[in-house]
């Protein structure tokens, strides 16, 4: 591929005339936006170690009362995208949120889709469109676009969870906005949607067209997901133990933008993931291990850590324990890549 002319090749007077009319020449930047064969990627491989983060999050609880924060969150910002842009990957936002006993996070709704993965604590509830969802370690709680949600915490210790949103994508589309609401009056049964949708192959009968853009099940309990992975491992000796979280009505991803999955690494297992176009994040629910991306040096991970890795890379995960399995929840942009035909 031959090199193209640069901006400096052009006379300054010509460049000034272009700028005056809000014009730019394509050729000096064309290789940057359309590189040969492999896209340029800003997402860096890194691990946000929970043990490093936790003290800072707890300190935020002392420094900033809830009424001054509304959402007390430390954003896991990938430096490749610029820290202020709040991107873990091109379209995934991640943040660690803290709620102290007796606190509430006020009711609101917004256009970005959100999932929270519970990391620590007991006794908290997220109320989604009137449905109280209990929050236990490893659970996925969904707040799809437009749904009212607020958090309450009646437990003893702090509760910490990982928020995962398609905020960077919706923001870039100039579609990101929120509205505040009054506290929801709980009229529904706890985990109503889980009761309706958790029996495999069975969904509620409706007399209207199903809405397919997001999953109708709002809570995916980790105990069920873990039990499924463990049972799969009893049936397969070598096969990778991976599952996808899906909309129980359609089998599609939970959201059109972000896909979620879970995997189990057997003791001492090394798993090379299929090379894919999408950046990916990993949240370690249980276990200790390492991740190696292309020829870079391996990065160690431990329970409750959260990692990112760019697409178009060879990713290898290793469970460094010889006795215990490791469990990982993943999130990526695969649904969007599939929709766009670039997966
Ligand atoms: Fe929210």
């Amino acid at each position: 591929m031959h090199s193209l002319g640069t901006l400096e090749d052009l006379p300054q007077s010509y460049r000034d005339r272009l700028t005056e009319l809000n014009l730019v020449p394509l050729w000096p930047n064309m290789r940057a936006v359309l590189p040969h064969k492999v896209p340029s990627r800003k997402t860096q491989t890194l691990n946000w170690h929970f043990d490093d983060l936790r003290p800072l999050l707890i300190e935020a609880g002392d420094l900033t009362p809830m009424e001054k924060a509304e959402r007390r969150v430390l954003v896991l910002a990938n430096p490749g995208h610029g820290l202020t842009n709040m991107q873990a990957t091109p379209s995934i936002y991640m943040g660690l949120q803290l709620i102290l006993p007796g606190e509430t996070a006020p009711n609101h709704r917004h256009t970005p889709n959100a999932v929270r993965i519970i990391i620590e604590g007991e006794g908290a509830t997220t109320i989604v469109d009137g449905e109280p969802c209990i929050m236990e370690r490893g659970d996925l709680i969904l707040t799809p676009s437009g749904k009212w949600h607020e958090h309450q915490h009646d437990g003893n210790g702090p509760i910490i969870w990982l928020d995962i949103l398609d905020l960077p994508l919706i923001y870039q589309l100039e579609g990101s906005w929120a509205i505040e609401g009054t506290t929801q009056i709980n009229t529904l049964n706890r985990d109503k949607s889980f009761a309706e949708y958790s029996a495999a192959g069975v969904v509620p009968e409706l007399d209207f067209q199903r809405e397919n853009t997001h999953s109708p099940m709002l809570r995916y309990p980790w105990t069920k997901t873990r039990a499924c992975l463990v049972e799969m491992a009893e049936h397969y000796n070598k096969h990778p133990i991976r599952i996808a979280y899906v909309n129980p009505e359609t089998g599609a991803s939970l959201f059109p933008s972000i896909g979620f999955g879970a995997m189990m690494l057997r003791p001492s297992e090394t798993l090379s993931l299929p090379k894919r176009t999408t950046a990916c994040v990993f949240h370690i629910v249980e276990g200790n291990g390492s991740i190696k991306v292309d020829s870079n040096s391996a990065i160690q991970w431990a329970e409750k850590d959260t990692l990112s890795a760019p697409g178009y890379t060879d990713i290898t995960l290793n469970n460094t324990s010889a006795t215990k399995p490791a469990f990982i929840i993943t999130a990526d942009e695969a649904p969007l890549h599939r929709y766009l035909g670039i997966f």
Side-chain angles (χ1 to χ4, degrees):
M1 204 164 50
H2 65 280
S3 59
L4 301 176
T6 68
L7 209 52
E8 290 69 35
D9 292 340
L10 300 168
Q12 186 62 50
S13 59
Y14 177 75
R15 287 157 61 183
D16 291 345
R17 276 149 59 214
L18 290 180
T19 305
E20 241 169 66
L21 295 176
N22 300 310
L23 298 168
V24 289
L26 172 62
W27 58 96
N29 291 313
M30 197 166 74
R31 297 282 192 246
V33 294
L34 286 170
H36 196 51
K37 285 190 175 177
V38 178
S40 59
R41 287 141 298 158
K42 295 177 180 172
T43 306
Q44 293 178 8
T45 304
L46 62 97
N47 183 2
W48 289 272
H49 295 277
F50 185 72
D51 285 348
D52 296 336
L53 281 169
R54 190 183 184 282
L56 292 167
L57 193 58
I58 296 296
E59 200 175 332
D62 294 332
L63 295 171
T64 309
M66 193 57 103
E67 61 268 23
K68 290 285 180 188
E70 283 190 11
R71 294 293 189 269
R72 195 190 286 117
V73 176
L74 294 180
V75 178
L76 310 187
N78 196 304
H81 291 283
L83 290 178
T84 54
N85 290 321
M86 302 197 286
Q87 290 164 280
T89 73
S91 58
I92 293 177
Y93 157 104
M94 292 198 294
L96 278 194
Q97 182 157 176
L98 167 73
I99 297 194
L100 297 170
E103 286 185 339
T104 57
N107 190 31
H108 72 176
R109 59 181 182 153
H110 42 66
T111 46
N113 293 282
V115 159
R116 48 207 53 75
I117 301 173
I118 317 310
I119 298 181
E120 177 186 317
E122 287 172 355
T125 306
T126 296
I127 304 161
V128 188
D129 266 6
E131 179 177 337
C133 300
I134 57 169
M135 308 174 83
E136 294 177 343
R137 172 72 185 130
D139 290 357
L140 261 60
I141 311 279
L142 275 61
T143 49
S145 176
K147 292 214 177 277
W148 291 107
H149 55 283
E150 63 188 290
H151 312 292
Q152 299 173 349
H153 183 28
D154 301 320
N156 293 320
I159 184 144
I160 297 172
W161 67 75
L162 174 69
D163 287 313
I164 299 182
L165 281 78
D166 53 13
L167 175 67
L169 173 70
I170 307 293
Y171 180 75
Q172 282 299 320
L173 295 172
E174 300 184 347
S176 181
W177 57 280
I179 44 177
E180 313 293 316
T182 53
T183 298
Q184 298 174 63
I185 308 298
N186 304 344
T187 55
L188 302 173
N189 292 329
R190 202 173 77 176
D191 288 336
K192 167 186 160 287
S193 64
F194 180 75
E196 288 175 328
Y197 288 98
S198 60
V202 180
V203 295
E205 178 69 23
L206 300 177
D207 56 2
F208 52 85
Q209 182 82 27
R210 291 187 187 281
E211 185 201 327
N212 289 332
T213 54
H214 61 73
S215 173
M217 198 162 85
L218 301 174
R219 175 171 175 250
Y220 290 69
W222 174 248
T223 51
K224 302 279 182 190
T225 306
R226 189 187 190 282
C228 173
L229 292 165
V230 169
E231 195 167 338
M232 280 175 71
E234 288 167 6
H235 292 286
Y236 299 101
N237 290 331
K238 292 181 180 165
H239 197 277
I241 306 300
R242 298 184 66 185
I243 56 175
Y245 288 92
V246 297
N247 176 333
E249 288 182 338
T250 64
S253 58
L254 301 188
F255 301 135
S257 48
I258 308 177
F260 291 84
M263 66 175 82
M264 172 181 148
L265 297 175
R266 303 169 180 90
S268 301
E269 182 174 3
T270 298
L271 179 62
S272 293
L273 303 180
K275 198 166 188 162
R276 304 190 318 158
T277 55
T278 171
C280 190
V281 298
F282 304 89
H283 175 70
I284 313 301
V285 185
E286 284 179 51
N288 288 275
S290 65
I291 183 172
K292 189 167 166 53
V293 177
D294 287 340
S295 57
N296 301 318
S297 14
I299 295 175
Q300 303 299 312
W301 44 257
E303 194 169 303
K304 301 180 180 175
D305 288 354
T306 304
L307 302 93
S308 66
Y312 288 80
T313 52
D314 289 310
I315 299 175
T316 302
L317 295 163
N318 175 235
N319 179 359
T320 49
S321 168
T323 54
K324 291 179 181 167
F327 295 90
I328 303 172
I329 295 175
T330 62
D332 61 36
E333 295 152 340
L336 200 53
H337 282 218
R338 287 196 177 95
Y339 179 74
L340 296 170
I342 61 170
F343 186 73

